């Protein structure tokens, strides 16, 4: 996973040989040296190599490699590698395996219900965020569906157990943001991906367990809609448990994951009400756009709205959602090309959304998503 060696450091004999070829047969040289330009997604993903720590097999927060990245970014990075492996299995699937091994540094097996700590841990930690872990469930399920490797499904189930342990009956239900109840909050950013995890995990469970998972997912959706959906269809950030005060801040990723829950429910039940709600929410998401039609939130949030738009396009074939996703992807890529962000999470978010866009042009990736979007085993 090392960045390609600069041309100036390559074997000088190779350079001499190419010079001789140029004199003898310029056309032959061009044919042998011309390489297709990497795709936008590949270009940004290659950039991420500079954050990689070979020894620890994890990504670092910045290119100076002083500090490991947080597990939230780890979920985005892993999902980027999963998406990249759909296009280049030979290169990126081994990288997935290395990173999955490296992520064990964050896994805390010494507590009653294991889960991922925000940073590498010696175990017996109590600083876990339920939303961080919910993202890991979704990316591991995607990895399992893509590779068939049982380790990903096993870890998805283990992590999901931790996420659901954050549910209690205060305020009528909902999953806490943090295991020690930091910030006194239950947030959309954990309940939405937790519900989607229930739905997607049901596909790989025995019938009795699948029924329970789907029921739990519906319960989480109902609580989130009742508690945190605003009148316009978008989803607010969180509710303070001790006071019942709601933060009306709206971020793209909150709405994005709930939108995907409605799409899954429509696929599973064929109830048009779920599709109608998905469309209502998706239309309301126009308010997240700036004057250029680009999602205004930071990439670490808005790339998940792009993912929801692409899923909406797969589900409805409505070009409106695809064009909305394309505008944001292009803006994010152009910004990256001009000046990459210093933190790995922003660059990984850009790479992930670009791969999802490229999936639409790959027959193999199209087949993958046709199967993945099907809520039942094929």
């Amino acid at each position: 996973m090392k960045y390609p060696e600069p041309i100036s450091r390559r074997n000088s004999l190779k350079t001499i040989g190419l010079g001789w070829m140029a004199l003898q047969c310029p056309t032959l040289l061009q044919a042998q040296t011309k390489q297709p330009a990497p795709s936008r997604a590949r270009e940004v993903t290659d950039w991420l190599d500079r954050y990689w720590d070979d020894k620890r097999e994890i990504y670092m927060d910045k290119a100076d490699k002083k500090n490991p990245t947080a597990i939230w970014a780890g979920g985005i990075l892993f999902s980027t590698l999963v998406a990249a492996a759909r296009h280049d299995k030979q290169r990126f699937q081994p990288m997935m395996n290395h990173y999955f091994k490296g992520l064990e540094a964050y896994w805390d097996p010494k507590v009653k219900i294991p889960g991922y700590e925000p940073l590498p841990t010696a175990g017996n930690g109590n600083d876990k965020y339920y939303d961080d872990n919910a993202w890991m469930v979704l990316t591991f399920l995607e990895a399992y569906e893509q590779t068939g490797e049982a380790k990903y499904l096993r870890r998805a189930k283990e992590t999901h157990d931790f996420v659901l342990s954050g549910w209690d009956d205060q305020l009528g239900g909902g999953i806490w943001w943090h295991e020690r109840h930091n910030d006194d909050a239950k947030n959309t950013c954990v309940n939405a991906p937790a519900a989607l995890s229930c739905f997607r995990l049901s596909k790989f469970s025995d019938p009795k367990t699948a029924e329970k998972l789907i029921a739990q997912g519906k319960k989480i959706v109902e609580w989130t809609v009742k508690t945190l959906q605003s009148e316009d269809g978008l989803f607010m950030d969180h509710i303070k448990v001790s006071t019942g005060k709601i933060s009306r801040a709206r971020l793209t990723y909150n709405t994005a994951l709930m939108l995907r829950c409605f799409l899954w429910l429509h696929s599973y039940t064929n109830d048009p009400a779920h599709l109608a709600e998905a469309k209502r929410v998706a239309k309301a998401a126009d308010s997240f756009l700036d004057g250029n039609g680009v999602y205004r939130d930071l990439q670490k949030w808005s790339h998940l709205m792009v993912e929801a738009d692409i899923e909406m396009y797969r589900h409805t074939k409505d070009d409106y959602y695809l064009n909305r996703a394309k505008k944001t992807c292009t803006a994010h890529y152009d910004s990256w090309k001009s000046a990459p962000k210093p933190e790995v999470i922003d660059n990984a978010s850009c790479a992930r959304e670009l791969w999802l866009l490229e999936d639409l042009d790959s027959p193999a990736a199209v087949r993958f998503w046709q199967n993945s979007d099907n809520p039942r085993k094929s």
Side-chain angles (χ1 to χ4, degrees):
M1 293 187 62
K2 294 181 178 178
Y3 208 71
E5 189 177 12
I7 292 177
S8 61
R9 294 175 56 192
R10 292 178 186 166
N11 192 304
S12 59
L13 291 177
K14 183 176 180 180
T15 304
I16 294 171
L18 290 175
W20 180 85
M21 287 175 61
L23 291 173
Q24 300 299 317
C25 187
T27 304
L28 177 61
L29 175 64
Q30 292 172 5
Q32 292 198 11
T33 60
K34 186 177 181 180
Q35 298 293 329
S39 71
R40 297 186 304 176
R42 179 78 177 235
E43 188 180 0
V44 181
T45 304
D46 285 345
W47 175 268
L48 300 177
D49 286 354
R50 64 192 59 215
Y51 297 91
W52 179 254
D53 185 320
D54 273 320
K55 185 176 180 180
R56 302 174 68 180
E57 294 189 306
I58 59 174
Y59 286 93
M60 308 303 279
D61 186 46
K62 296 182 180 179
D64 61 15
K65 300 185 180 181
K66 291 182 179 179
N67 299 302
T69 192
I71 194 65
W72 175 24
I76 299 172
L77 284 154
F78 192 82
S79 69
T80 297
L81 296 178
V82 175
R86 284 195 288 274
H87 297 261
D88 188 345
K89 179 179 178 181
Q90 184 176 2
R91 178 180 179 193
F92 291 108
Q93 192 156 312
M95 294 167 69
M96 283 172 55
N97 291 328
H98 282 294
Y99 193 34
F100 183 74
K101 178 182 175 183
L103 286 169
E104 286 298 293
Y106 298 78
W107 183 251
D108 182 0
K110 296 181 180 181
V111 290
K112 183 178 180 181
I113 305 177
Y116 285 98
E117 285 279 311
L119 294 168
T121 178
N124 284 318
N126 60 354
D127 191 31
K128 299 175 187 66
Y129 291 82
Y130 294 107
D131 62 328
D132 289 351
N133 282 268
W135 302 121
M136 302 310 293
V137 177
L138 289 173
T139 192
F140 290 151
L141 287 175
E142 185 179 328
Y144 171 69
E145 198 160 13
Q146 185 166 305
T147 67
E149 294 186 33
K151 64 184 180 182
Y152 296 126
L153 179 59
R154 181 171 58 250
R155 182 48 57 83
K157 289 180 176 179
E158 293 170 342
T159 311
H160 190 63
D161 287 343
F162 171 74
V163 174
L164 290 188
S165 73
W167 173 281
D168 68 20
D169 292 331
Q170 294 190 63
L171 295 180
I175 298 173
W176 288 86
W177 182 50
H178 186 269
E179 66 174 332
R180 287 189 285 120
H181 302 175
N182 285 6
D183 204 36
D184 182 36
K186 292 184 175 182
N187 298 46
T188 302
C189 70
V190 56
N191 283 279
L196 187 61
S197 295
C198 285
F199 296 147
R200 288 194 168 263
L201 186 56
S202 70
K203 183 176 181 178
F204 309 109
S205 305
D206 62 80
K208 187 175 181 179
T209 302
E211 185 178 353
K212 290 180 179 179
L213 284 166
I214 293 169
Q216 182 66 49
K218 289 180 178 178
K219 189 176 180 180
I220 298 171
V221 167
E222 289 168 2
W223 180 87
T224 309
V225 167
K226 179 181 178 181
T227 309
L228 290 168
Q229 189 174 27
S230 61
E231 301 81 3
D232 59 7
L234 302 178
F235 284 83
M236 298 174 285
D237 194 65
H238 65 266
I239 183 169
K240 296 288 187 179
V241 176
S242 63
T243 65
K245 183 179 180 180
I246 294 175
S247 167
R248 299 187 64 84
R250 296 162 176 81
L251 292 170
T252 40
Y253 74 151
N254 290 329
T255 292
L257 271 293
M258 288 302 295
L259 192 160
R260 293 179 63 193
C261 285
F262 297 135
L263 289 178
W264 189 95
L265 286 166
H266 178 254
S267 295
Y268 184 73
T269 67
N270 205 32
D271 184 343
H274 293 306
L275 181 58
E277 182 63 4
K279 290 181 176 180
R280 183 176 83 94
V281 171
K283 179 60 179 175
D286 277 345
S287 64
F288 291 130
L289 303 173
D290 64 18
N292 296 314
V294 174
Y295 287 123
R296 62 176 181 266
D297 280 352
L298 298 176
Q299 292 177 41
K300 60 186 177 183
W301 294 315
S302 59
H303 82 278
L304 289 158
M305 193 66 228
V306 169
E307 182 162 0
D309 275 343
I310 292 172
E311 189 166 332
M312 277 292 291
Y313 172 73
R314 293 199 306 263
H315 200 93
T316 65
K317 302 304 179 186
D318 188 335
D319 287 338
Y320 178 80
Y321 306 114
L322 178 59
N323 291 333
R324 193 164 67 176
K326 284 182 175 180
K327 284 185 180 180
T328 294
C329 283
T330 297
H332 286 172
Y333 173 76
D334 289 346
S335 175
W336 174 84
K337 193 76 172 176
S338 174
K341 302 292 191 296
E343 295 186 354
V344 68
I345 189 172
D346 299 300
N347 299 302
S349 298
C350 181
R352 167 70 177 177
E353 66 186 2
L354 289 169
W355 283 120
L356 291 172
L357 201 59
E358 290 189 16
D359 280 346
L360 298 173
D361 296 321
S362 163
V366 168
R367 288 192 297 272
F368 169 80
W369 285 114
Q370 286 174 342
N371 181 65
S372 182
D373 291 337
N374 183 351
R376 296 174 175 84
K377 293 180 181 178
S378 56

